[in-house]
Amino acid sequence: MLLLGLLLLQLSGITAAHQGHWEDYKYGHQGSEVLDKKPLCSWKCLLFTLQWPGGFCQSLNKDTECVIPQSINTWTIHGLWPLRVLSCCSCWPMFRSDVQEMEAELTEHWPSLVKTRSSFHFWLDEWHKHGACAACVEGMNSPLRYFQICLKLRGQFNIRRLLEDAGITPSCERLYKVVEVHRVLAPHLGDKHEIQCVTDDQGRQVWFQVKIPLSHNLTVGCDHHSGASSGPGWNGSPGHPCPPEVPFYYYPIDHQQPLQPCG
């Protein structure tokens, strides 16, 4: 886990040319000044959220078409969300050129699974809703750095490998319990991670998401349940904690029938 704490240090080596690129933006210094003020920088925890495409489609309403690209066969990024922030600063725009150098990697690990929304617009929404709030941290103070951090975290949390090593694999028949999945993930994600489900159209609990609490320096285990209010990333999720007493399904990915992977 020490590797997580070093992520910000690793990203501090951004080239002078790239730093100059950011200084050329007229909004750069103004945005930093705004982001240094409360309530935007009063947060203590972030949630790094990964979603399982086989279950994600069950979280959409019937009018929203879910599409899983053929290249997607594992957990993907949903977002990195500072918690207990009332709203993010809208003064820091993001352009496609900001993530151009990592677009192929983002497309692989952070795709949109909604047909009517491109992957870039998914990233754009995540930056405006959450990334701009996180930008008060030195290592995330630009769209480029924010998305670099997210990709590095994705590399650290290889959930599918952890599960497969423990014999937990997608299935239309086998049911799992929160306690057995938590036991596998806790040594790597911390005790405070949350296993999230949605209820499908047949009333079954379906696993679709994992939320991993992180502190300012990206170490695992921040207490995100303390305090009275939650940030937009917490309330905006369509899921709920998987009930401890009710077994849930870990649906396989079906690229042809993403809404009915089990028929």
Side-chain angles (χ1 to χ4, degrees):
M1 291 306 172
L2 290 176
L3 290 175
L4 288 176
L6 294 175
L7 287 178
L8 295 179
L9 294 176
Q10 292 173 354
L11 291 180
S12 64
I14 299 294
T15 63
H18 224 302
Q19 290 172 344
H21 175 67
W22 279 105
E23 290 173 359
D24 287 339
Y25 283 141
K26 292 182 179 179
Y27 60 81
H29 294 296
Q30 178 185 1
S32 298
E33 291 168 2
V34 173
L35 289 169
D36 284 338
K37 298 178 180 178
K38 292 185 176 182
L40 297 181
C41 289
S42 61
W43 54 269
K44 295 181 180 179
C45 302
L46 305 104
L47 286 179
F48 182 59
T49 307
L50 294 168
Q51 59 191 12
W52 175 245
F56 170 80
C57 294
Q58 311 301 315
S59 72
L60 302 176
N61 61 52
K62 294 182 179 180
D63 297 326
T64 304
E65 187 172 353
C66 189
V67 175
I68 305 175
Q70 289 291 329
S71 60
I72 303 302
N73 291 290
T74 190
W75 291 77
T76 61
I77 300 171
H78 189 169
L80 180 62
W81 308 329
L83 292 181
R84 315 196 198 293
V85 179
L86 297 179
S87 62
C88 284
C89 175
S90 60
C91 59
W92 199 322
M94 171 180 155
F95 305 97
R96 190 158 201 146
S97 58
D98 295 330
V99 294
Q100 188 171 10
E101 68 180 59
M102 66 182 79
E103 188 164 350
E105 195 174 0
L106 286 172
T107 300
E108 177 184 357
H109 297 299
W110 200 334
S112 171
L113 304 178
V114 177
K115 185 176 183 178
T116 56
R117 182 167 62 161
S118 70
S119 289
F120 175 72
H121 280 93
F122 183 17
W123 309 330
L124 190 66
D125 286 346
E126 289 297 309
W127 168 255
H128 286 155
K129 292 178 182 178
H130 311 291
C133 292
C136 55
V137 174
E138 180 68 24
M140 291 187 279
N141 59 358
S142 72
L144 173 67
R145 292 183 174 188
Y146 173 75
F147 287 103
Q148 282 179 322
I149 283 286
C150 292
L151 288 172
K152 284 184 175 291
L153 288 171
R154 168 63 184 79
Q156 291 297 321
F157 298 118
N158 191 335
I159 291 179
R160 182 162 188 172
R161 187 182 64 191
L162 295 172
L163 295 169
E164 287 180 346
D165 288 348
I168 298 174
T169 57
S171 173
C172 290
E173 293 81 29
R174 184 177 173 184
L175 289 162
Y176 297 96
K177 293 183 178 180
V178 170
V179 64
E180 64 180 310
V181 175
H182 179 83
R183 188 183 302 117
V184 171
L185 297 181
H188 308 275
L189 312 186
D191 287 335
K192 300 182 186 299
H193 74 271
E194 185 170 294
I195 300 166
Q196 284 212 317
C197 285
V198 291
T199 306
D200 71 4
D201 56 7
Q202 297 186 42
R204 296 175 291 196
Q205 295 296 315
V206 179
W207 189 15
F208 92 113
Q209 195 160 254
V210 173
K211 292 183 175 181
I212 307 165
L214 305 172
S215 62
H216 257 265
N217 65 355
L218 302 181
T219 54
V220 170
C222 196
D223 186 7
H224 61 283
H225 291 297
S226 62
S229 61
S230 297
W234 185 250
N235 290 333
S237 172
H240 54 264
C242 297
E245 70 284 357
V246 180
F248 58 82
Y249 285 92
Y250 179 21
Y251 282 167
I253 293 174
D254 188 323
H255 299 94
Q256 282 67 47
Q257 299 185 86
L259 280 172
Q260 296 179 315
C262 296

